Amino acid sequence: MTPPTETEAPLMRLRGVGRSYDKGTRVFTALRGVDLDIRPGEFVCLLGPSGCGKSTLLRILAGLDIATEGSVLRHGEPLRGVNPGTMIVFQTFALFPWLSVSENVELALKARGVPADGRAARAGKLIDSVGLDGFESAYPRELSGGMRQKVGFARAMAMEPELLCLDEPFSALDVLSAEGLRGELMELWLAKSLPTKAVLMVTHNIEEAVAMADRIIVMARDPGRVIAEIPVRLAHPRRPKSAEFQELADEVYGAITGRLAEPAALVPVFTLPQLRTNAVAGLLEKLAGEGGIAELHRIGAELHLELDDLLPIIESAELLGFISVIDADLHLTPLGRNYADADILGRKEVLAARILRLPIFARVLMGLRGKPERRAGLEELASWLEPDIARDDAAMIDNIINWGRSAEIFDYDDDAEEIYLENA
Ligand code: ADP
């Protein structure tokens, strides 16, 4: 039997990793069955909508959270406690406001056991390497968001982590600062001037992932899981306008929306996206204006919508039968075209007719009609929705009320907390 050697083992190896939370009456699964290797030299992106478990996965890798299932190995050995080889940079900078730039970085050096007399010089070098030369004695409040995030990078680098974890590091910055900082980070990484062996970055921005990653891990929620792994073999510097770049972005979009086409039986519980009727109408109008077909990737960019905003709109439109998603293209259905062409009243009628075809709403309407007063409280509504929707899933019940009201299938009495039929 030959023991595995250091060089064979990846920096981190996850096998069958799950994380669930006991929520009293039921168990909530934030992550399920995650297999993931991170090897030296890789820049990996975790991509997916909010709530798919990206931050949970990062925390598990950093040893700040514990997997309730599966194994977490570091250099082939089970990880116990905090992972000494990782550092996380958060989107909100998390600098100490009462310490100068240099002192913020020195604190990290102190934590790593660097002797006091060498700290200032080391901190100076790190600050220089992120382009903040001359700002050593400035305080965080005197810096722009982009500069503060650079201090965050310098501080993380002071720890010389073998795995640098970035949790949406650019999402709190304005577009231009984010772009600048992304470019600078990439330059440092490609020039191998970062004292780190691998980078794992969480993002929900598809372009950002395609621009930076060697490999994109696509995740979905309910339960949080990995649904695709897409290698990115484009040379740097990558050109977002090039055909190869766009093709890859399309492939990633396709992977994310592909799950919308999963057969219903695979979806564990009935889920309903947030319905924003104006946004759905806007999307359909845009599609109609483009001859009924458009690449998802381009629509998202042109409407300036991030994944978290775009996905519920697409899910709603697809659920209503207004569009179909085929590969990474949106196709307007004849019904969707009718909706786009109709006036406000016509749209309401189409919407109501479509929503009533969803069994959940048909059941609610039947329940209301079965009652002489044509009214029901939330408890009773919840009992009609079971078992598709958990009785204590208040957010989903709220959402169902929203859908019903938008389509004027029923109304809601805020004071009595009851739904009712308008023309009873
Ligand atoms: P993401 O980073 O992709 O937005 P998270 O990892 O933050 O997702 O969260 C995944 C899911 O796990 C979310 O639905 C979140 O509400 C849930 N979750 C995270 N932490 C806890 C916790 N301590 N207790 C209960 N649920 C949690």
Side-chain angles (χ1 to χ4, degrees):
M1 198 176 80
T2 45
T5 61
E6 270 288 305
T7 49
E8 277 171 355
L11 292 180
M12 296 299 300
R13 165 164 284 182
L14 305 187
R15 284 296 176 267
V17 162
R19 176 70 169 104
S20 37
Y21 297 99
D22 199 343
K23 290 207 168 176
T25 52
R26 65 206 174 95
V27 172
F28 174 80
T29 306
L31 274 184
R32 177 180 291 166
V34 175
D35 294 334
L36 176 67
D37 282 352
I38 298 180
R39 298 180 178 282
E42 278 192 308
F43 194 119
V44 180
C45 274
L46 287 181
L47 184 76
S50 284
C52 69
K54 302 182 296 289
S55 307
T56 303
L57 193 55
L58 219 58
R59 285 202 305 275
I60 288 175
L61 283 164
L64 301 173
D65 195 355
I66 295 173
T68 46
E69 266 171 58
S71 62
V72 179
L73 305 179
R74 172 172 182 244
H75 298 294
E77 300 289 331
L79 177 68
R80 287 185 224 292
V82 173
N83 185 342
T86 63
M87 270 303 294
I88 303 186
V89 175
F90 297 97
Q91 57 173 281
T92 47
F93 321 130
L95 302 177
F96 294 111
W98 58 89
L99 297 182
S100 69
V101 166
S102 183
E103 287 162 342
N104 263 288
V105 178
E106 285 171 49
L107 200 64
L109 292 168
K110 183 179 174 191
R112 236 189 82 220
V114 175
D117 56 355
R119 280 180 218 150
R122 284 283 288 280
K125 269 199 184 146
L126 286 162
I127 292 164
D128 196 11
S129 77
V130 294
L132 282 181
D133 198 14
F135 288 92
E136 290 81 356
S137 51
Y139 285 86
R141 66 169 181 279
E142 300 172 285
L143 305 178
S144 69
M147 291 160 87
R148 271 181 257 167
Q149 191 57 299
K150 287 183 182 181
V151 182
F153 285 137
R155 195 179 50 182
M157 250 92 86
M159 302 303 285
E160 300 192 5
E162 56 184 15
L163 175 62
L164 178 65
C165 295
L166 308 174
D167 194 353
E168 299 193 18
F170 310 112
S171 61
L173 303 178
D174 62 86
V175 178
L176 283 181
S177 312
E179 187 134 335
L181 194 51
R182 237 179 251 135
E184 288 172 42
L185 177 70
M186 258 351 257
E187 251 175 56
L188 292 173
W189 168 249
L190 294 171
K192 303 202 186 325
S193 349
L194 293 183
T196 181
K197 289 188 181 136
V199 180
L200 180 66
M201 184 172 89
V202 164
T203 176
H204 58 242
N205 182 328
I206 291 175
E207 253 93 273
E208 185 169 291
V210 176
M212 302 178 83
D214 299 315
R215 189 153 58 98
I216 301 175
I217 312 287
V218 182
M219 298 179 67
R221 65 178 166 223
D222 304 315
R225 64 204 189 278
V226 172
I227 53 168
E229 243 191 84
I230 300 175
V232 185
R233 299 201 180 88
L234 305 177
H236 289 279
R238 295 178 179 164
R239 290 170 303 119
K241 297 246 180 298
S242 70
E244 313 90 79
F245 190 104
Q246 298 282 326
E247 243 168 57
L248 249 158
D250 272 351
E251 189 184 334
V252 176
Y253 259 106
I256 289 173
T257 51
R259 112 201 125 90
L260 302 180
E262 272 177 20
L266 290 183
V267 180
V269 284
F270 179 81
T271 58
L272 200 60
Q274 291 287 336
L275 176 63
R276 287 168 51 212
T277 46
N278 289 335
V280 169
L283 174 73
L284 299 183
E285 282 163 16
K286 182 150 177 64
L287 270 176
E290 305 215 354
I293 300 184
E295 298 126 353
L296 183 46
H297 157 244
R298 191 168 47 77
I299 292 278
E302 284 178 14
L303 294 176
H304 296 286
L305 288 173
E306 293 241 343
L307 256 192
D308 278 348
D309 299 316
L310 187 61
L311 278 186
I313 300 170
I314 288 172
E315 282 173 325
S316 306
E318 190 168 49
L319 196 60
L320 291 165
F322 293 159
I323 60 169
S324 30
V325 184
I326 302 171
D327 295 330
D329 291 332
L330 299 182
H331 295 247
L332 191 63
T333 63
L335 188 75
R337 188 174 292 278
N338 282 349
Y339 185 87
D341 291 343
D343 58 12
I344 294 181
L345 216 64
R347 283 182 179 180
K348 276 195 172 148
E349 279 171 15
V350 175
L351 192 65
R354 294 306 297 179
I355 289 183
L356 276 175
R357 292 179 58 145
L358 301 174
I360 286 266
F361 290 96
R363 243 192 280 162
V364 175
L365 195 66
M366 222 162 65
L368 281 172
R369 286 196 178 138
K371 304 198 61 177
E373 70 280 23
R374 305 281 199 258
R375 276 183 169 262
L378 298 185
E379 278 284 315
E380 191 163 14
L381 170 62
S383 73
W384 296 336
L385 300 174
E386 273 190 316
D388 296 301
I389 286 161
R391 206 172 250 273
D392 59 355
D393 193 345
M396 186 55 72
I397 290 171
D398 251 13
N399 196 15
I400 284 172
I401 294 176
N402 262 332
W403 273 67
R405 284 176 107 175
S406 303
E408 298 183 8
I409 291 172
F410 51 75
D411 213 334
Y412 181 70
D413 180 339
D414 285 294
D415 296 325
E417 299 196 336
E418 289 174 341
I419 56 166
Y420 64 97
L421 290 181
E422 185 80 69
N423 40 9

